[in-house]
Amino acid sequence: MTIIVTGGAGFIGSNFIFHMLNKYPDYRIICLDCLTYAGSLSTLEPVMDNPNFRFVKESITDRAAVEKLFEEEHPDMVVNFAAESHVDRSIENPQVFLDTNIIGTSVLMDACRKYGIKRYHQVSTDEVYGDLPLDRPDMFFTETTPIHTSSPYSSSKAGADLLVLAYHRTYGLPVTISRCSNNYGPYHFPEKLIPLMIINALHDKPLPVYGEGLNVRDWLYVEDHCKAIDLVIHNGRVGEVYNIGGHNEMKNIDIVKLICKELGKPESLITYVTDRKGHDMRYAIDPTKIHNELGWLPETMFTDGIKKTIKWYLDNEAWWEPIVSGEYQNYYEKMYANR
Ligand code: NAD
Ligand code: DAU
C-alpha cells in the first residue's frame, strides 16, 4: 500500500504519518508538503530515515508537480491534510485559503482521476456546519446538518467538501470525507489557542482571550483523530462523510485557567481582548455514525491529554522556540498589538 499524505509536515498530518508508519510497517508513506509557515521538516525528523518514508517539497496547487509524483509513486490512496488552517489568518487574507484549500483539492482529485486511485480522503472540519447556540446543549452537528459557514477558512473547507462529493457523483471517484472537531497535542503550531497559551504562560506573557472567553470547542486528542482517519480510509464507505469528535466541550476561558493551574501561573496573566470577527460560539460533534459503523471511540480523556500536551511543550522547547522567535513575532505583533 502506497499512501500520499499531503500537509504531513503540519500538526495533524505529522501525527498521522507517525501513526501509520508505526502501525503498518509494510506501507509506503509519501509526504507532499510545500512547507508554508505552518510546516516544518524538524517535525518529521523522527521518520526522515525510515526507508518506507519519502518527503516531497511541492504544493498541492502545482498540477505538474502533483502529476509527476503520481507517475513516480502510483499511490493507492491520497489523504489530504494540506490546508491553510488558521481562522484568524483567513480573516486577514482569504485568497491563499481559496487557492490551497479549494484549488489544491481539485488538483489532487484530477490527478486521482487521471492515474486511478483506490481512495481519496479529504480531511475536513466541523467548522463547515457553522456554529450552535450556547443555550441549546441538546443540539449537535450530524453528517446531515446543513453546511453554513462563518469564516473564509470554513467556507474554503466547505467548498472543497462540496467539490469532493461532486467528483464522487460526477466521475465516480472513490472518496471519503471526515469532519473533525478541535484537535490538541504534540506539534500543534503556536498560533492556535492551546499551544499559544502554554508558551505565553511559560514566558509570563499576557494570555489573550477573545471576547469573554465563553465560546465552546469540542476538544479531541490528535492521536484519536488519526486512528479515526485510519479506520475511515480502510473501512469507511465510499461517498460518505464521517463526523469525528469526543463529546468533550469546554469553554475557552476554562481551558486557559486549566493551563495556568497546570503550569503554576497566576490567572492574572489572562487578558480579555477584542473578539474575533464572526466568532463561532459553539462546536459540538455527534460521532454516532463513526462509532456505529466503524467502532471508533476516543481513547484519551481531556484531563490526561492536556497534561501530556503540556509536558510535550515543556520537553520540546527545541521544536517551538525557533518558531516563536522567528517570523511568528511579526504575526503576533500584527494580530495582538492594540487588540
Ligand atoms: P497545519 O496548519 O498545522 O498544517 C498544514 C500543513 O499543510 C503544513 O505542513 C503546510 O506546510 C501544509 N500546506 C499548506 N499549504 C500547502 C500546499 N499548498 N501544498 C502542500 N502543503 C501545504 O494544519 P493542521 O491543524 O494540521 O490541519 C490539517 C488539516 O486538518 C487541515 O485540512 C484542517 O482543515 C483540518 N482540521 C484541523 C483541525 C485542528 O483542530 N487543527 C480540526 C479539524 C480539521
Ligand atoms: O473545529 C476545528 C477547527 O479548529 C479547525 O478546522 C481549525 O483548523 C483549527 O484552527 C481550529 O479552529 P478554531 O478557530 O476553533 O481554533 P483556535 O485555536 O484558533 O481557537 C480556539 C478558540 O480559542 C476560538 O474560540 C478562538 C479562541 N482564541 C484563539 C486564540 C488563537 C482565543 O481566545 N485567543 C487566541 O489567542
PDB file of all heavy atoms in Angstrom, residues 85-88 125-127 153 180-183 188 191-194 196-197 208-210 215 217 219 252 276 279-280 283 336, ligand 2:
ATOM      1  N   SER A  85      -4.943  26.634   7.667  1.00  0.00           N
ATOM      2  CA  SER A  85      -5.828  26.107   8.707  1.00  0.00           C
ATOM      3  C   SER A  85      -6.238  27.113   9.784  1.00  0.00           C
ATOM      4  O   SER A  85      -7.027  26.766  10.665  1.00  0.00           O
ATOM      5  CB  SER A  85      -5.142  24.913   9.381  1.00  0.00           C
ATOM      6  OG  SER A  85      -4.034  25.357  10.148  1.00  0.00           O
ATOM      7  N   HIS A  86      -5.700  28.341   9.747  1.00  0.00           N
ATOM      8  CA  HIS A  86      -5.969  29.234  10.884  1.00  0.00           C
ATOM      9  C   HIS A  86      -7.031  30.295  10.554  1.00  0.00           C
ATOM     10  O   HIS A  86      -6.839  31.127   9.662  1.00  0.00           O
ATOM     11  CB  HIS A  86      -4.663  29.897  11.325  1.00  0.00           C
ATOM     12  CG  HIS A  86      -4.771  30.575  12.662  1.00  0.00           C
ATOM     13  ND1 HIS A  86      -5.563  30.098  13.688  1.00  0.00           N
ATOM     14  CD2 HIS A  86      -4.203  31.713  13.143  1.00  0.00           C
ATOM     15  CE1 HIS A  86      -5.471  30.902  14.735  1.00  0.00           C
ATOM     16  NE2 HIS A  86      -4.649  31.886  14.424  1.00  0.00           N
ATOM     17  N   VAL A  87      -8.115  30.251  11.309  1.00  0.00           N
ATOM     18  CA  VAL A  87      -9.266  31.136  11.069  1.00  0.00           C
ATOM     19  C   VAL A  87      -8.843  32.611  11.084  1.00  0.00           C
ATOM     20  O   VAL A  87      -9.228  33.395  10.208  1.00  0.00           O
ATOM     21  CB  VAL A  87     -10.358  30.876  12.140  1.00  0.00           C
ATOM     22  CG1 VAL A  87     -11.487  31.887  12.021  1.00  0.00           C
ATOM     23  CG2 VAL A  87     -10.879  29.451  12.028  1.00  0.00           C
ATOM     24  N   ASP A  88      -8.030  33.026  12.066  1.00  0.00           N
ATOM     25  CA  ASP A  88      -7.645  34.442  12.169  1.00  0.00           C
ATOM     26  C   ASP A  88      -6.887  34.902  10.925  1.00  0.00           C
ATOM     27  O   ASP A  88      -7.076  36.020  10.445  1.00  0.00           O
ATOM     28  CB  ASP A  88      -6.778  34.675  13.416  1.00  0.00           C
ATOM     29  CG  ASP A  88      -7.576  34.503  14.703  1.00  0.00           C
ATOM     30  OD1 ASP A  88      -8.772  34.819  14.703  1.00  0.00           O
ATOM     31  OD2 ASP A  88      -7.000  34.030  15.703  1.00  0.00           O
ATOM     32  N   THR A 125     -13.479  19.592   8.438  1.00  0.00           N
ATOM     33  CA  THR A 125     -13.618  20.173   9.776  1.00  0.00           C
ATOM     34  C   THR A 125     -15.081  20.354  10.168  1.00  0.00           C
ATOM     35  O   THR A 125     -15.938  20.557   9.291  1.00  0.00           O
ATOM     36  CB  THR A 125     -12.904  21.546   9.815  1.00  0.00           C
ATOM     37  OG1 THR A 125     -13.271  22.239  11.010  1.00  0.00           O
ATOM     38  CG2 THR A 125     -13.300  22.433   8.634  1.00  0.00           C
ATOM     39  N   ASP A 126     -15.335  20.341  11.468  1.00  0.00           N
ATOM     40  CA  ASP A 126     -16.705  20.608  11.947  1.00  0.00           C
ATOM     41  C   ASP A 126     -17.126  22.047  11.660  1.00  0.00           C
ATOM     42  O   ASP A 126     -18.316  22.375  11.711  1.00  0.00           O
ATOM     43  CB  ASP A 126     -16.831  20.295  13.448  1.00  0.00           C
ATOM     44  CG  ASP A 126     -15.916  21.109  14.343  1.00  0.00           C
ATOM     45  OD1 ASP A 126     -15.121  21.921  13.830  1.00  0.00           O
ATOM     46  OD2 ASP A 126     -15.984  20.928  15.581  1.00  0.00           O
ATOM     47  N   GLU A 127     -16.149  22.919  11.337  1.00  0.00           N
ATOM     48  CA  GLU A 127     -16.493  24.327  11.100  1.00  0.00           C
ATOM     49  C   GLU A 127     -17.364  24.519   9.869  1.00  0.00           C
ATOM     50  O   GLU A 127     -17.959  25.583   9.687  1.00  0.00           O
ATOM     51  CB  GLU A 127     -15.223  25.181  10.986  1.00  0.00           C
ATOM     52  CG  GLU A 127     -14.440  25.216  12.271  1.00  0.00           C
ATOM     53  CD  GLU A 127     -13.484  26.385  12.375  1.00  0.00           C
ATOM     54  OE1 GLU A 127     -13.596  27.354  11.617  1.00  0.00           O
ATOM     55  OE2 GLU A 127     -12.599  26.312  13.244  1.00  0.00           O
ATOM     56  N   TYR A 153     -11.978  30.763   6.122  1.00  0.00           N
ATOM     57  CA  TYR A 153     -11.395  29.420   6.283  1.00  0.00           C
ATOM     58  C   TYR A 153     -12.472  28.347   6.146  1.00  0.00           C
ATOM     59  O   TYR A 153     -12.352  27.428   5.324  1.00  0.00           O
ATOM     60  CB  TYR A 153     -10.701  29.295   7.655  1.00  0.00           C
ATOM     61  CG  TYR A 153     -10.470  27.850   8.062  1.00  0.00           C
ATOM     62  CD1 TYR A 153      -9.531  27.066   7.397  1.00  0.00           C
ATOM     63  CD2 TYR A 153     -11.211  27.257   9.097  1.00  0.00           C
ATOM     64  CE1 TYR A 153      -9.338  25.723   7.747  1.00  0.00           C
ATOM     65  CE2 TYR A 153     -11.023  25.933   9.450  1.00  0.00           C
ATOM     66  CZ  TYR A 153     -10.082  25.172   8.775  1.00  0.00           C
ATOM     67  OH  TYR A 153      -9.905  23.855   9.111  1.00  0.00           O
ATOM     68  N   CYS A 180     -13.770  16.753  11.598  1.00  0.00           N
ATOM     69  CA  CYS A 180     -13.362  16.601  12.997  1.00  0.00           C
ATOM     70  C   CYS A 180     -13.498  17.905  13.767  1.00  0.00           C
ATOM     71  O   CYS A 180     -13.457  18.998  13.204  1.00  0.00           O
ATOM     72  CB  CYS A 180     -11.914  16.106  13.043  1.00  0.00           C
ATOM     73  SG  CYS A 180     -11.415  15.580  14.689  1.00  0.00           S
ATOM     74  N   SER A 181     -13.611  17.756  15.071  1.00  0.00           N
ATOM     75  CA  SER A 181     -13.633  18.909  15.980  1.00  0.00           C
ATOM     76  C   SER A 181     -12.195  19.350  16.277  1.00  0.00           C
ATOM     77  O   SER A 181     -11.241  18.814  15.716  1.00  0.00           O
ATOM     78  CB  SER A 181     -14.364  18.520  17.259  1.00  0.00           C
ATOM     79  OG  SER A 181     -13.690  17.434  17.868  1.00  0.00           O
ATOM     80  N   ASN A 182     -12.039  20.305  17.208  1.00  0.00           N
ATOM     81  CA  ASN A 182     -10.702  20.859  17.516  1.00  0.00           C
ATOM     82  C   ASN A 182      -9.755  19.801  18.069  1.00  0.00           C
ATOM     83  O   ASN A 182     -10.081  19.121  19.041  1.00  0.00           O
ATOM     84  CB  ASN A 182     -10.823  21.964  18.576  1.00  0.00           C
ATOM     85  CG  ASN A 182     -11.398  23.232  18.012  1.00  0.00           C
ATOM     86  OD1 ASN A 182     -12.533  23.254  17.536  1.00  0.00           O
ATOM     87  ND2 ASN A 182     -10.622  24.292  18.043  1.00  0.00           N
ATOM     88  N   ASN A 183      -8.580  19.714  17.468  1.00  0.00           N
ATOM     89  CA  ASN A 183      -7.533  18.783  17.938  1.00  0.00           C
ATOM     90  C   ASN A 183      -6.561  19.508  18.863  1.00  0.00           C
ATOM     91  O   ASN A 183      -6.386  20.722  18.768  1.00  0.00           O
ATOM     92  CB  ASN A 183      -6.702  18.280  16.754  1.00  0.00           C
ATOM     93  CG  ASN A 183      -7.417  17.244  15.906  1.00  0.00           C
ATOM     94  OD1 ASN A 183      -6.802  16.337  15.373  1.00  0.00           O
ATOM     95  ND2 ASN A 183      -8.728  17.355  15.761  1.00  0.00           N
ATOM     96  N   HIS A 188       1.443  21.014  17.655  1.00  0.00           N
ATOM     97  CA  HIS A 188       0.395  21.976  17.322  1.00  0.00           C
ATOM     98  C   HIS A 188       1.051  23.340  17.159  1.00  0.00           C
ATOM     99  O   HIS A 188       1.735  23.816  18.067  1.00  0.00           O
ATOM    100  CB  HIS A 188      -0.623  22.004  18.468  1.00  0.00           C
ATOM    101  CG  HIS A 188      -1.992  22.456  18.081  1.00  0.00           C
ATOM    102  ND1 HIS A 188      -3.023  22.468  18.981  1.00  0.00           N
ATOM    103  CD2 HIS A 188      -2.511  22.917  16.910  1.00  0.00           C
ATOM    104  CE1 HIS A 188      -4.121  22.903  18.376  1.00  0.00           C
ATOM    105  NE2 HIS A 188      -3.830  23.190  17.118  1.00  0.00           N
ATOM    106  N   GLU A 191       0.356  29.313  16.983  1.00  0.00           N
ATOM    107  CA  GLU A 191      -0.668  30.355  16.781  1.00  0.00           C
ATOM    108  C   GLU A 191      -2.033  29.937  17.328  1.00  0.00           C
ATOM    109  O   GLU A 191      -2.904  30.779  17.521  1.00  0.00           O
ATOM    110  CB  GLU A 191      -0.820  30.659  15.283  1.00  0.00           C
ATOM    111  CG  GLU A 191      -1.438  29.500  14.508  1.00  0.00           C
ATOM    112  CD  GLU A 191      -1.349  29.617  12.997  1.00  0.00           C
ATOM    113  OE1 GLU A 191      -1.030  30.689  12.484  1.00  0.00           O
ATOM    114  OE2 GLU A 191      -1.568  28.587  12.317  1.00  0.00           O
ATOM    115  N   LYS A 192      -2.235  28.624  17.585  1.00  0.00           N
ATOM    116  CA  LYS A 192      -3.538  28.119  17.985  1.00  0.00           C
ATOM    117  C   LYS A 192      -3.709  28.199  19.502  1.00  0.00           C
ATOM    118  O   LYS A 192      -2.722  28.226  20.253  1.00  0.00           O
ATOM    119  CB  LYS A 192      -3.717  26.678  17.500  1.00  0.00           C
ATOM    120  CG  LYS A 192      -3.477  26.478  16.002  1.00  0.00           C
ATOM    121  CD  LYS A 192      -4.627  27.005  15.142  1.00  0.00           C
ATOM    122  CE  LYS A 192      -4.303  27.100  13.667  1.00  0.00           C
ATOM    123  NZ  LYS A 192      -3.820  25.920  13.003  1.00  0.00           N
ATOM    124  N   LEU A 193      -4.974  28.192  19.967  1.00  0.00           N
ATOM    125  CA  LEU A 193      -5.278  28.519  21.373  1.00  0.00           C
ATOM    126  C   LEU A 193      -4.390  27.793  22.392  1.00  0.00           C
ATOM    127  O   LEU A 193      -3.716  28.441  23.211  1.00  0.00           O
ATOM    128  CB  LEU A 193      -6.750  28.212  21.684  1.00  0.00           C
ATOM    129  CG  LEU A 193      -7.133  28.490  23.145  1.00  0.00           C
ATOM    130  CD1 LEU A 193      -7.318  29.980  23.397  1.00  0.00           C
ATOM    131  CD2 LEU A 193      -8.402  27.745  23.559  1.00  0.00           C
ATOM    132  N   ILE A 194      -4.397  26.447  22.374  1.00  0.00           N
ATOM    133  CA  ILE A 194      -3.741  25.720  23.475  1.00  0.00           C
ATOM    134  C   ILE A 194      -2.220  25.936  23.481  1.00  0.00           C
ATOM    135  O   ILE A 194      -1.667  26.351  24.510  1.00  0.00           O
ATOM    136  CB  ILE A 194      -4.165  24.230  23.470  1.00  0.00           C
ATOM    137  CG1 ILE A 194      -5.625  24.147  23.948  1.00  0.00           C
ATOM    138  CG2 ILE A 194      -3.240  23.365  24.334  1.00  0.00           C
ATOM    139  CD1 ILE A 194      -6.223  22.752  24.028  1.00  0.00           C
ATOM    140  N   LEU A 196      -0.535  28.352  22.133  1.00  0.00           N
ATOM    141  CA  LEU A 196      -0.255  29.776  22.358  1.00  0.00           C
ATOM    142  C   LEU A 196      -0.309  30.099  23.849  1.00  0.00           C
ATOM    143  O   LEU A 196       0.581  30.761  24.402  1.00  0.00           O
ATOM    144  CB  LEU A 196      -1.267  30.632  21.579  1.00  0.00           C
ATOM    145  CG  LEU A 196      -1.066  32.155  21.617  1.00  0.00           C
ATOM    146  CD1 LEU A 196      -1.438  32.772  20.272  1.00  0.00           C
ATOM    147  CD2 LEU A 196      -1.857  32.825  22.715  1.00  0.00           C
ATOM    148  N   MET A 197      -1.337  29.565  24.516  1.00  0.00           N
ATOM    149  CA  MET A 197      -1.494  29.860  25.955  1.00  0.00           C
ATOM    150  C   MET A 197      -0.376  29.190  26.767  1.00  0.00           C
ATOM    151  O   MET A 197       0.141  29.782  27.711  1.00  0.00           O
ATOM    152  CB  MET A 197      -2.871  29.404  26.442  1.00  0.00           C
ATOM    153  CG  MET A 197      -4.013  30.166  25.794  1.00  0.00           C
ATOM    154  SD  MET A 197      -3.950  31.952  26.125  1.00  0.00           S
ATOM    155  CE  MET A 197      -5.174  32.572  24.958  1.00  0.00           C
ATOM    156  N   PRO A 208      -4.094  36.150  25.816  1.00  0.00           N
ATOM    157  CA  PRO A 208      -5.156  36.919  25.144  1.00  0.00           C
ATOM    158  C   PRO A 208      -6.410  36.107  24.846  1.00  0.00           C
ATOM    159  O   PRO A 208      -6.461  35.369  23.870  1.00  0.00           O
ATOM    160  CB  PRO A 208      -4.476  37.365  23.834  1.00  0.00           C
ATOM    161  CG  PRO A 208      -3.477  36.288  23.549  1.00  0.00           C
ATOM    162  CD  PRO A 208      -3.051  35.712  24.869  1.00  0.00           C
ATOM    163  N   VAL A 209      -7.428  36.276  25.679  1.00  0.00           N
ATOM    164  CA  VAL A 209      -8.689  35.552  25.488  1.00  0.00           C
ATOM    165  C   VAL A 209      -9.647  36.451  24.694  1.00  0.00           C
ATOM    166  O   VAL A 209      -9.894  37.590  25.071  1.00  0.00           O
ATOM    167  CB  VAL A 209      -9.300  35.180  26.860  1.00  0.00           C
ATOM    168  CG1 VAL A 209     -10.708  34.636  26.703  1.00  0.00           C
ATOM    169  CG2 VAL A 209      -8.403  34.171  27.576  1.00  0.00           C
ATOM    170  N   TYR A 210     -10.170  35.908  23.582  1.00  0.00           N
ATOM    171  CA  TYR A 210     -11.066  36.698  22.721  1.00  0.00           C
ATOM    172  C   TYR A 210     -12.431  36.859  23.398  1.00  0.00           C
ATOM    173  O   TYR A 210     -12.993  35.882  23.922  1.00  0.00           O
ATOM    174  CB  TYR A 210     -11.296  35.997  21.380  1.00  0.00           C
ATOM    175  CG  TYR A 210     -10.069  35.808  20.503  1.00  0.00           C
ATOM    176  CD1 TYR A 210     -10.144  34.985  19.380  1.00  0.00           C
ATOM    177  CD2 TYR A 210      -8.855  36.439  20.764  1.00  0.00           C
ATOM    178  CE1 TYR A 210      -9.044  34.797  18.538  1.00  0.00           C
ATOM    179  CE2 TYR A 210      -7.750  36.254  19.939  1.00  0.00           C
ATOM    180  CZ  TYR A 210      -7.847  35.429  18.833  1.00  0.00           C
ATOM    181  OH  TYR A 210      -6.767  35.230  18.018  1.00  0.00           O
ATOM    182  N   ASN A 215     -16.840  31.075  24.375  1.00  0.00           N
ATOM    183  CA  ASN A 215     -17.015  30.194  23.207  1.00  0.00           C
ATOM    184  C   ASN A 215     -16.613  28.772  23.568  1.00  0.00           C
ATOM    185  O   ASN A 215     -15.654  28.559  24.321  1.00  0.00           O
ATOM    186  CB  ASN A 215     -16.154  30.690  22.043  1.00  0.00           C
ATOM    187  CG  ASN A 215     -16.422  32.154  21.745  1.00  0.00           C
ATOM    188  OD1 ASN A 215     -16.139  33.000  22.595  1.00  0.00           O
ATOM    189  ND2 ASN A 215     -16.976  32.435  20.603  1.00  0.00           N
ATOM    190  N   ARG A 217     -15.536  24.853  22.404  1.00  0.00           N
ATOM    191  CA  ARG A 217     -14.956  23.976  21.395  1.00  0.00           C
ATOM    192  C   ARG A 217     -14.986  22.552  21.951  1.00  0.00           C
ATOM    193  O   ARG A 217     -14.972  22.343  23.170  1.00  0.00           O
ATOM    194  CB  ARG A 217     -13.510  24.390  21.058  1.00  0.00           C
ATOM    195  CG  ARG A 217     -13.382  25.792  20.435  1.00  0.00           C
ATOM    196  CD  ARG A 217     -14.004  25.834  19.067  1.00  0.00           C
ATOM    197  NE  ARG A 217     -13.877  27.114  18.359  1.00  0.00           N
ATOM    198  CZ  ARG A 217     -14.818  28.064  18.352  1.00  0.00           C
ATOM    199  NH1 ARG A 217     -15.933  27.904  19.057  1.00  0.00           N
ATOM    200  NH2 ARG A 217     -14.665  29.161  17.640  1.00  0.00           N
ATOM    201  N   TRP A 219     -12.944  19.387  22.186  1.00  0.00           N
ATOM    202  CA  TRP A 219     -11.517  19.055  22.008  1.00  0.00           C
ATOM    203  C   TRP A 219     -11.261  17.556  21.907  1.00  0.00           C
ATOM    204  O   TRP A 219     -11.789  16.770  22.699  1.00  0.00           O
ATOM    205  CB  TRP A 219     -10.696  19.647  23.155  1.00  0.00           C
ATOM    206  CG  TRP A 219     -10.705  21.140  23.109  1.00  0.00           C
ATOM    207  CD1 TRP A 219     -11.558  21.975  23.783  1.00  0.00           C
ATOM    208  CD2 TRP A 219      -9.865  21.988  22.308  1.00  0.00           C
ATOM    209  NE1 TRP A 219     -11.291  23.290  23.455  1.00  0.00           N
ATOM    210  CE2 TRP A 219     -10.263  23.327  22.556  1.00  0.00           C
ATOM    211  CE3 TRP A 219      -8.817  21.756  21.409  1.00  0.00           C
ATOM    212  CZ2 TRP A 219      -9.656  24.421  21.942  1.00  0.00           C
ATOM    213  CZ3 TRP A 219      -8.207  22.846  20.791  1.00  0.00           C
ATOM    214  CH2 TRP A 219      -8.622  24.153  21.062  1.00  0.00           C
ATOM    215  N   ASN A 252     -13.479  28.313  26.283  1.00  0.00           N
ATOM    216  CA  ASN A 252     -12.080  28.755  26.136  1.00  0.00           C
ATOM    217  C   ASN A 252     -11.480  29.196  27.477  1.00  0.00           C
ATOM    218  O   ASN A 252     -10.350  28.842  27.810  1.00  0.00           O
ATOM    219  CB  ASN A 252     -11.993  29.925  25.147  1.00  0.00           C
ATOM    220  CG  ASN A 252     -12.354  29.506  23.737  1.00  0.00           C
ATOM    221  OD1 ASN A 252     -12.313  28.318  23.404  1.00  0.00           O
ATOM    222  ND2 ASN A 252     -12.699  30.474  22.906  1.00  0.00           N
ATOM    223  N   ARG A 276     -12.755  37.885  17.985  1.00  0.00           N
ATOM    224  CA  ARG A 276     -12.566  37.517  16.574  1.00  0.00           C
ATOM    225  C   ARG A 276     -13.816  37.930  15.796  1.00  0.00           C
ATOM    226  O   ARG A 276     -14.932  37.739  16.293  1.00  0.00           O
ATOM    227  CB  ARG A 276     -12.368  35.994  16.510  1.00  0.00           C
ATOM    228  CG  ARG A 276     -12.303  35.401  15.144  1.00  0.00           C
ATOM    229  CD  ARG A 276     -12.210  33.880  15.205  1.00  0.00           C
ATOM    230  NE  ARG A 276     -10.857  33.410  15.462  1.00  0.00           N
ATOM    231  CZ  ARG A 276     -10.538  32.128  15.678  1.00  0.00           C
ATOM    232  NH1 ARG A 276     -11.466  31.191  15.661  1.00  0.00           N
ATOM    233  NH2 ARG A 276      -9.283  31.773  15.897  1.00  0.00           N
ATOM    234  N   HIS A 279     -17.004  35.378  15.153  1.00  0.00           N
ATOM    235  CA  HIS A 279     -16.575  34.277  16.034  1.00  0.00           C
ATOM    236  C   HIS A 279     -17.679  33.235  16.276  1.00  0.00           C
ATOM    237  O   HIS A 279     -18.723  33.557  16.868  1.00  0.00           O
ATOM    238  CB  HIS A 279     -16.135  34.885  17.370  1.00  0.00           C
ATOM    239  CG  HIS A 279     -15.268  34.007  18.189  1.00  0.00           C
ATOM    240  ND1 HIS A 279     -14.645  34.442  19.330  1.00  0.00           N
ATOM    241  CD2 HIS A 279     -14.913  32.712  18.054  1.00  0.00           C
ATOM    242  CE1 HIS A 279     -13.941  33.464  19.859  1.00  0.00           C
ATOM    243  NE2 HIS A 279     -14.091  32.390  19.091  1.00  0.00           N
ATOM    244  N   ASP A 280     -17.443  31.994  15.882  1.00  0.00           N
ATOM    245  CA  ASP A 280     -18.398  30.910  16.127  1.00  0.00           C
ATOM    246  C   ASP A 280     -18.522  30.656  17.629  1.00  0.00           C
ATOM    247  O   ASP A 280     -17.517  30.570  18.339  1.00  0.00           O
ATOM    248  CB  ASP A 280     -17.924  29.616  15.447  1.00  0.00           C
ATOM    249  CG  ASP A 280     -18.214  29.613  13.950  1.00  0.00           C
ATOM    250  OD1 ASP A 280     -19.114  30.349  13.507  1.00  0.00           O
ATOM    251  OD2 ASP A 280     -17.531  28.863  13.219  1.00  0.00           O
ATOM    252  N   TYR A 283     -19.058  24.634  18.959  1.00  0.00           N
ATOM    253  CA  TYR A 283     -18.991  23.466  18.079  1.00  0.00           C
ATOM    254  C   TYR A 283     -19.236  22.235  18.951  1.00  0.00           C
ATOM    255  O   TYR A 283     -18.700  22.138  20.061  1.00  0.00           O
ATOM    256  CB  TYR A 283     -17.605  23.289  17.445  1.00  0.00           C
ATOM    257  CG  TYR A 283     -17.083  24.451  16.637  1.00  0.00           C
ATOM    258  CD1 TYR A 283     -15.719  24.752  16.637  1.00  0.00           C
ATOM    259  CD2 TYR A 283     -17.920  25.217  15.834  1.00  0.00           C
ATOM    260  CE1 TYR A 283     -15.208  25.784  15.868  1.00  0.00           C
ATOM    261  CE2 TYR A 283     -17.417  26.262  15.074  1.00  0.00           C
ATOM    262  CZ  TYR A 283     -16.062  26.542  15.098  1.00  0.00           C
ATOM    263  OH  TYR A 283     -15.556  27.563  14.345  1.00  0.00           O
ATOM    264  N   TYR A 336      -2.057  40.909  17.686  1.00  0.00           N
ATOM    265  CA  TYR A 336      -2.405  41.105  19.101  1.00  0.00           C
ATOM    266  C   TYR A 336      -2.092  42.501  19.643  1.00  0.00           C
ATOM    267  O   TYR A 336      -2.637  42.869  20.688  1.00  0.00           O
ATOM    268  CB  TYR A 336      -1.725  40.037  19.969  1.00  0.00           C
ATOM    269  CG  TYR A 336      -2.289  38.649  19.719  1.00  0.00           C
ATOM    270  CD1 TYR A 336      -1.698  37.797  18.794  1.00  0.00           C
ATOM    271  CD2 TYR A 336      -3.434  38.201  20.380  1.00  0.00           C
ATOM    272  CE1 TYR A 336      -2.217  36.528  18.547  1.00  0.00           C
ATOM    273  CE2 TYR A 336      -3.967  36.942  20.141  1.00  0.00           C
ATOM    274  CZ  TYR A 336      -3.352  36.111  19.229  1.00  0.00           C
ATOM    275  OH  TYR A 336      -3.873  34.870  18.983  1.00  0.00           O
TER     276      TYR A 336
HETATM  277  O1  DAU B   2     -13.048  22.948  14.874  1.00  0.00           O
HETATM  278  C1  DAU B   2     -11.980  22.564  14.065  1.00  0.00           C
HETATM  279  C2  DAU B   2     -11.087  23.758  13.786  1.00  0.00           C
HETATM  280  O2  DAU B   2     -10.389  24.030  14.996  1.00  0.00           O
HETATM  281  C3  DAU B   2     -10.107  23.510  12.644  1.00  0.00           C
HETATM  282  O3  DAU B   2     -10.837  23.343  11.454  1.00  0.00           O
HETATM  283  C4  DAU B   2      -9.129  24.690  12.508  1.00  0.00           C
HETATM  284  O4  DAU B   2      -8.160  24.396  11.521  1.00  0.00           O
HETATM  285  C5  DAU B   2      -8.439  24.886  13.846  1.00  0.00           C
HETATM  286  O5  DAU B   2      -7.567  26.001  13.775  1.00  0.00           O
HETATM  287  C6  DAU B   2      -9.469  25.097  14.949  1.00  0.00           C
HETATM  288  O6  DAU B   2     -10.179  26.348  14.762  1.00  0.00           O
HETATM  289  P1  DAU B   2     -10.515  27.317  15.993  1.00  0.00           P
HETATM  290  O7  DAU B   2     -10.746  28.677  15.465  1.00  0.00           O
HETATM  291  O8  DAU B   2     -11.559  26.733  16.871  1.00  0.00           O
HETATM  292  O9  DAU B   2      -9.090  27.210  16.800  1.00  0.00           O
HETATM  293  P2  DAU B   2      -8.185  28.326  17.521  1.00  0.00           P
HETATM  294  O10 DAU B   2      -7.135  27.573  18.258  1.00  0.00           O
HETATM  295  O11 DAU B   2      -7.763  29.396  16.576  1.00  0.00           O
HETATM  296  O12 DAU B   2      -9.190  28.980  18.561  1.00  0.00           O
HETATM  297  C7  DAU B   2      -9.868  28.189  19.523  1.00  0.00           C
HETATM  298  C8  DAU B   2     -10.767  29.132  20.320  1.00  0.00           C
HETATM  299  O13 DAU B   2      -9.943  29.985  21.122  1.00  0.00           O
HETATM  300  C9  DAU B   2     -11.623  30.057  19.463  1.00  0.00           C
HETATM  301  O14 DAU B   2     -12.878  30.233  20.089  1.00  0.00           O
HETATM  302  C10 DAU B   2     -10.850  31.362  19.451  1.00  0.00           C
HETATM  303  C11 DAU B   2     -10.171  31.378  20.808  1.00  0.00           C
HETATM  304  N1  DAU B   2      -8.849  32.057  20.882  1.00  0.00           N
HETATM  305  C12 DAU B   2      -7.899  31.711  19.984  1.00  0.00           C
HETATM  306  C13 DAU B   2      -6.651  32.306  20.002  1.00  0.00           C
HETATM  307  C14 DAU B   2      -5.596  31.947  18.983  1.00  0.00           C
HETATM  308  C15 DAU B   2      -8.601  32.989  21.878  1.00  0.00           C
HETATM  309  O15 DAU B   2      -9.472  33.278  22.714  1.00  0.00           O
HETATM  310  N2  DAU B   2      -7.369  33.591  21.907  1.00  0.00           N
HETATM  311  C16 DAU B   2      -6.387  33.300  20.995  1.00  0.00           C
HETATM  312  O16 DAU B   2      -5.296  33.923  21.063  1.00  0.00           O
END
